[in-house]
Amino acid sequence: MAALPIPVEFLDPLVYQSVCVDGFVASQVARGFSPVTIDNGTGVLERFLSLAAKPAWELTASDVDAVVAALIERGVGAVTRRGYVGTFKSFFAFLQARHAAEIESRFGVRLSDPLDVFHAGRHVSSDSPATRPPPTPQRMEEFFAFLRLRMEGARKWTPPARDYAMFRTLYHAGLRSAEAASLEIRDLHFDRGPFGKVHVRLGKAAKGSGPRPRWVPMLDDVALILRWYLQEVRPRFRVSGPVLFCDEGGGVMNSGSIRNRLAHLCLEEGRPVHERFSPHDLRHACATRNYERGIDLVAIQQMLGHWNVGTTMRYVTPSATFVEDAYRRAISTTLAGLDEE
């Protein structure tokens, strides 16, 4: 698809770059990206370009290093920094595909990717030990007990009640924070299957595809929790739209708000740092808990929306006594079979 001609008056490089950013956003809309994903990505890209303080086509590898150094100085974590670099990489690829000729014509610059192998964030490999285990079922029960106490003593009951329903859903259904933020009432199908199902319409894209929808069963009484939330909690918010989990003003909670909310609750709970967790840790906890209960790994893969089962295997971190517990279950099953004979 050819790029639309840009008016001659857009000779200012930063003005032209702003128009290119708008085109990049439009291309994501056309590819089916969710509004939440687009908004978050656009904000990240604009902050990256602001720190760079020059047009993208003028950046060098050293300029990118300087941007990353500025992010480190601001306390931005490694995972978030990789997100900044990855978003800029996508934008630069868009410029190469759609605007390379015009940039060279207008500004005399031939596009050359400033990112190199040294800008690739260091990842934990598939054979590396996990940096920390996910929260155990006991730890989660303690956390949810804390949320129930907050509901009982809160002056405003609805926000802590929403928190309880939302984080129970994230834990038991293994949802990403962005997926939970995009849920609407119409996505809850209580009569579908034996437990009811959540329709995750805007599942995370993979391998350059658009959103990948999936159906997630409402295991572990999630249906009861969500029915209670719809009947008792959500009507008390001033909600004008269809969003399921809303903020106090009735607006959409984005994924960043959900992460920040959970971090605040863990801090308020007063537990040591190593016992705190993020929404992503809840996905690991969901995978591990279901695997230890004997649910097939492929079923967990489908539940979490992973592209391949290898990713799911990295999410599973069995407890220290997993082998012993599995042995006891196997022996018990064998002895029960012998008794029946």
Side-chain angles (χ1 to χ4, degrees):
M1 176 180 176
L4 294 175
I6 294 179
V8 176
E9 60 266 26
F10 289 151
L11 293 178
D12 181 280
L14 295 181
V15 174
Y16 181 87
Q17 178 170 263
S18 178
V19 174
C20 291
V21 170
D22 290 342
F24 180 56
V25 170
S27 74
Q28 292 179 315
V29 173
R31 292 168 63 191
F33 284 45
S34 75
V36 172
T37 299
I38 293 173
D39 288 345
N40 290 342
T42 304
V44 166
L45 176 60
E46 289 175 344
R47 287 190 290 274
F48 185 101
L49 296 173
S50 176
L51 287 172
K54 62 174 66 174
W57 50 87
E58 294 182 9
L59 295 182
T60 65
S62 296
D63 293 324
V64 176
D65 288 340
V67 171
V68 174
L71 293 172
I72 293 173
E73 187 176 346
R74 295 184 178 191
V76 176
V79 174
T80 305
R81 295 199 303 272
R82 285 201 299 269
Y84 273 83
V85 173
T87 301
F88 174 74
K89 183 179 181 68
S90 297
F91 175 63
F92 199 88
F94 171 81
L95 292 180
Q96 289 177 312
R98 300 277 183 92
H99 297 286
E102 191 162 14
I103 287 172
E104 184 173 2
S105 172
R106 287 177 180 270
F107 306 109
V109 177
R110 179 169 294 182
L111 284 180
S112 177
D113 192 349
L115 298 173
D116 56 32
V117 65
F118 298 103
H119 292 123
R122 183 174 65 86
H123 289 266
V124 176
S125 64
S126 59
D127 57 349
S128 300
T131 55
R132 63 178 181 180
T136 64
Q138 179 182 352
R139 172 71 186 96
M140 292 310 305
E141 283 306 314
E142 293 167 353
F143 176 70
F144 292 130
F146 162 72
L147 294 188
R148 287 192 292 270
L149 284 175
R150 288 187 80 256
M151 281 193 287
E152 293 174 6
R155 183 175 62 85
K156 289 184 177 181
W157 178 77
T158 47
R162 175 213 56 212
D163 293 342
Y164 180 77
M166 181 169 62
F167 291 119
R168 285 291 296 260
T169 302
L170 261 70
Y171 171 54
H172 293 297
L175 301 183
R176 300 175 177 91
S177 56
E179 293 170 345
S182 67
L183 287 179
E184 299 179 356
I185 294 177
R186 62 181 171 136
D187 298 321
L188 305 183
H189 297 258
F190 296 102
D191 57 350
R192 190 180 183 97
F195 303 105
K197 291 189 177 183
V198 178
H199 188 204
V200 183
R201 291 175 293 105
L202 301 176
K204 183 179 178 182
K207 299 184 182 296
S209 69
R212 299 176 63 232
R214 69 184 188 278
W215 292 91
V216 179
M218 298 179 184
L219 305 179
D220 299 312
D221 294 331
V222 168
L224 291 176
I225 294 167
L226 289 175
R227 284 185 187 276
W228 164 76
Y229 173 74
L230 287 179
Q231 294 169 5
E232 303 292 335
V233 182
R234 190 179 179 280
R236 303 191 184 196
F237 286 100
R238 298 189 300 274
V239 188
S240 58
V243 60
L244 180 62
F245 297 119
C246 56
D247 59 23
E248 291 191 56
V252 176
M253 294 183 69
N254 61 40
S255 58
S257 299
I258 293 175
R259 286 194 299 271
N260 293 339
R261 187 65 185 160
L262 182 55
H264 170 75
L265 290 171
C266 287
L267 181 64
E268 189 177 295
E269 189 185 10
R271 304 293 284 258
V273 173
H274 70 274
E275 292 187 12
R276 301 172 192 173
F277 45 84
S278 66
H280 194 67
D281 292 328
L282 295 184
R283 277 171 59 78
H284 283 259
C286 176
T288 298
R289 180 168 181 263
N290 283 304
Y291 182 74
E292 290 192 326
R293 291 196 296 182
I295 295 180
D296 184 80
L297 201 59
V298 174
I300 299 173
Q301 172 199 356
Q302 297 300 314
M303 182 177 179
L304 298 186
H306 287 149
W307 182 263
N308 59 65
V309 75
T311 304
T312 310
M313 291 174 66
R314 294 197 293 272
Y315 272 58
V316 173
T317 309
S319 65
T321 61
F322 175 69
V323 174
E324 293 90 337
D325 295 340
Y327 174 78
R328 291 191 188 99
R329 287 195 299 270
I331 291 296
S332 298
T333 301
T334 301
L335 292 176
L338 292 174
D339 289 341
E340 289 178 3
E341 291 178 2

